[in-house]
Amino acid sequence: MDRLIVAIATGLYTGLIPKAPGTWGSAFALIPWFFCRNLPLPTYLLVMSGIFIVGYLAAGSAEKILNRPDPGCIVIDEILGIFVTLTLAPNHPLAWLLGFLLFRLFDIVKPFPVSWLDSHLHGGIGIMADDIAAGLYALVCLQLCWPLLIWLSA
């Protein structure tokens, strides 16, 4: 059971790739997201809720299994963050890339309240919450920037 928990929490072990596990986990997230992107919004939101619940449980348990608080190899939170970021994303690969880059930026820089959530919440909820907030920042930026980029390129 521990192996299954760690496999889920690490995004099928992509979080164990040396150097920038969060980036690898975010990149991995694009694969399941790609296959979910055209789901009706209510179904998409149910998928995200499922990722949150499974992620909350797996991340909290993996933290105990690995005996480290919020280890970098846990990337289920980045997977959910990408799903949040790319909610209703324009159907264009450059929009997806921009969303990925925006999410990584907000996940790394951690503007308030992302930083507060990261430092004040612990366990599974703490691991997941800051990436949801970073994903929300990236979602808003993507939705605002994409039309502007299209307009500027016309």
Side-chain angles (χ1 to χ4, degrees):
M1 187 60 134
D2 286 359
R3 291 169 79 185
L4 177 62
I5 291 167
V6 171
I8 292 168
T10 61
L12 299 180
Y13 305 106
T14 56
L16 297 176
I17 297 172
K19 306 285 187 201
T23 300
W24 287 112
S26 298
F28 170 75
L30 293 171
I31 298 167
W33 172 82
F34 182 82
F35 292 103
C36 294
R37 76 187 195 285
N38 292 323
L39 292 172
L41 185 59
T43 306
Y44 185 87
L45 295 174
L46 278 173
V47 168
M48 282 199 320
S49 298
I51 295 170
F52 172 76
I53 292 165
V54 170
Y56 162 74
L57 296 170
S61 296
E63 192 177 45
K64 292 175 184 143
I65 293 165
L66 300 170
N67 198 27
R68 291 183 303 188
D70 196 3
C73 65
I74 294 177
V75 296
I76 189 71
D77 50 334
E78 275 82 8
I79 294 169
L80 180 57
I82 288 292
F83 270 75
V84 170
T85 298
L86 296 176
T87 301
L88 300 174
N91 193 23
H92 194 287
L94 289 178
W96 308 339
L97 176 62
L98 179 59
F100 172 85
L101 294 172
L102 287 167
F103 173 70
R104 291 308 302 142
L105 173 71
F106 289 120
D107 189 31
I108 292 165
V109 173
K110 298 193 185 311
F112 183 83
V114 180
S115 58
W116 187 91
L117 293 167
D118 184 53
S119 62
H120 286 81
L121 297 180
H122 306 288
I125 194 71
I127 292 170
M128 301 298 287
D130 66 308
D131 288 86
I132 293 169
L136 289 170
Y137 273 126
L139 167 68
V140 170
C141 285
L142 177 61
Q143 294 298 323
L144 293 174
C145 291
W146 185 253
L148 180 63
L149 291 173
I150 295 302
W151 181 73
L152 290 173
S153 68

